[in-house]
Amino acid sequence: MITELHTEWTVQDICSGFVYNELEGKGLFGMDGKLTIQPEYQRNYIYADGKKDVAVIDSVLKGYPIGLIYFNRTENGQLEVLDGQQRITSLGRFITSRFAIKVNGMEQYFRGLSQEQQQQILNTKLLIYVCEGTEEEIKAWFKTINIVGVPLNEQEKLNAIYSGSFVTLAKEEFSNSQNSNIDKWSSYIKAVANRQEFLACALGWVSKGNIDGYMSMHRRDDNINELKTYFNSVIDWVDCVFPEVYSEMQTIEWGRLYEEHHKKPYNPKEIGVKVAELYADEYVRNKKGIFEYVLGGCVDSKLLEIRIFEERDKKTVYTKQTQEAQAKGVSNCPLCALGNDNNKTRIWKITEMDADHVTAWSKGGSTDISNCQMLCKVHNRAKGNK
Ligand SMILES: [Zn+2]
């Protein structure tokens, strides 16, 4: 790989003919079209938070260095930004007056700055390495230099490694914060579009967790039909089956639940009533588990982490049960006492027993002392959730 250091290019040179795509939040071109600011393996612009972008301009105004910038020279002689896209986009957006900075406590856009200040920014020289090498070399190197600033997350790294037509199309759909579907998606997925989190979710679903393999396989595809169709099927299914939206829905593994349950018929009205009932049930400690519990036919109450009995209630019940059993000469486990084996008269220690709902929680039984009995561990397990 060949590298050459450029110290003569100014902010004005780099930002000349700056093109910014407001919809996608991308700096597109600079140097009068010669520089591609956001090649497809780059992440979306995430400096527009009024802090990082302002800090870039402050640094330039104070004469502080803003760090090394790396360009890659492509085969046709064009340049693309390898590292520095966020900083260049901040500079370009500022000198085209898209955001303001505070100067002596006053909000100032570029066009409102004094001539000297404008010139100071435009004439600032940047430190830029231009590299030439194979795609593999450049990508390997890009991964090592991208350790400054906000680190790339897993999906952003995968987008860089598997860059190509598939990633470009997938980002247009899933990483575009202007996509009008994002509101709907956000009911069921906790994600930020420009950090590639919806994309990661969609890929995780369609690939059943093998995102890496899926991206590699589809890298050169000229469409994202399967990815999009599968994702929409999952979202539409959740949307149909559960008429109400609850905040816990954002943390559910919908991809897995869709695979397990989408072929069964459900009555959304009944489901809605059941879910609301469980949400109102103070014994249900794990609200997140409600959706899977209901989809599974309200059988596996372990998912709900039903409130358990207090230690002191268990002790009280154990003592009473044991005294009565000893008086009668039978086991202190009422189910053992009914049997005919050696345990019929066995007195269990409290550590050998578990608390059980006399009337099951699912049949309306409460979790207080009046509904508590101690069973030996074997009988308690056998009784299970019946
Ligand atoms: Zn027993």
Side-chain angles (χ1 to χ4, degrees), residues 333 336 376 379:
C333 166
C336 285
C376 72
H379 276 124

